[in-house]
Amino acid sequence: MTEQTLLATLSGVRLHIFHPDSQSVRAFCASLTQLGCHAQHSWPPAASLSTDTQLLLVAIDMHQQPLLTPLFISARERDIPIIALADSHNARLFPLLLQLQPNAIAARELNPFALIVQMIGTLKTVRHQQRLRAVQQARQARSERLAQAKSVLMQTFGLDESGAYRLMRSEAMNTRSSMEYTAERVITTLQK
């Protein structure tokens, strides 16, 4: 992948940075804006997020733990990836990081290049995981619909499970349609 392709990953991304205000944070936000990101910055952490937030960068501070926990829970529920910005020399943060379970951890001192690389990697990984979950959910839904169609055939015609499956497979082949389409036809036609 080229540098432009990788940087395109960030184009249009809406992110929120929870980090104490400093010149380096403001400069980093300006750099992200130049890359096409929509970056917001605030401190201290807040449990409520903008509805369109797609990525969080959160400075980890032991004194902010009561605010961090609900923020991380809220982000996890909405499937928003989080990069924790932590002082790697502070061993007291490790239990908190284990509890919060961020998607990635980076140094708290903002290194723009390293953070951009981390952001791209995290976004690509999370998006890949989301696609895999969608495929698994589609497979599960397909499997449930096939099972429902078999059940309808078993109840309607007194077939066993393998007989119901063979009947559906035969019908799908005869009509040159998919098993999913055949299952839907069985359910809508026979189920009352």
Side-chain angles (χ1 to χ4, degrees), residues 53-128:
T53 301
Q54 297 171 299
L55 177 65
L56 289 177
L57 279 71
V58 182
I60 304 301
D61 183 333
M62 290 298 289
H63 303 295
Q64 301 298 330
Q65 184 173 356
L67 299 173
L68 291 173
T69 302
L71 171 65
F72 276 68
I73 290 170
S74 172
R76 207 172 299 117
E77 287 171 352
R78 293 178 41 201
D79 209 15
I80 300 171
I82 305 173
I83 299 174
L85 306 173
D87 176 7
S88 61
H89 301 291
N90 185 350
R92 293 182 314 141
L93 291 179
F94 294 154
L96 178 58
L97 288 167
L98 289 172
Q99 173 196 338
L100 295 174
Q101 298 179 12
N103 297 84
I105 301 172
R108 184 169 170 150
E109 299 77 34
L110 299 181
N111 174 339
F113 178 77
L115 253 177
I116 288 170
V117 169
Q118 184 72 302
M119 290 166 58
I120 291 168
T122 299
L123 284 170
K124 285 188 159 296
T125 300
V126 167
R127 289 173 180 165
H128 179 71

Side-chain angles (χ1 to χ4, degrees), residues 128-156:
H128 179 71
Q129 290 170 342
Q130 289 169 340
R131 284 191 301 273
L132 287 177
R133 268 196 308 274
V135 167
Q136 289 171 338
Q137 289 169 348
R139 283 182 183 156
Q140 180 66 30
R142 176 182 176 253
S143 178
E144 289 171 3
R145 290 304 273 179
L146 290 174
Q148 184 180 1
K150 284 191 294 187
S151 176
V152 167
L153 289 172
M154 290 165 60
Q155 291 173 354
T156 304

Side-chain angles (χ1 to χ4, degrees), residues 27-63:
F28 183 59
C29 286
S31 298
L32 291 173
T33 301
Q34 289 176 344
L35 292 173
C37 290
H38 303 281
Q40 287 184 286
H41 167 250
S42 62
W43 187 255
S48 62
L49 299 168
S50 173
T51 57
D52 58 355
T53 301
Q54 297 171 299
L55 177 65
L56 289 177
L57 279 71
V58 182
I60 304 301
D61 183 333
M62 290 298 289
H63 303 295

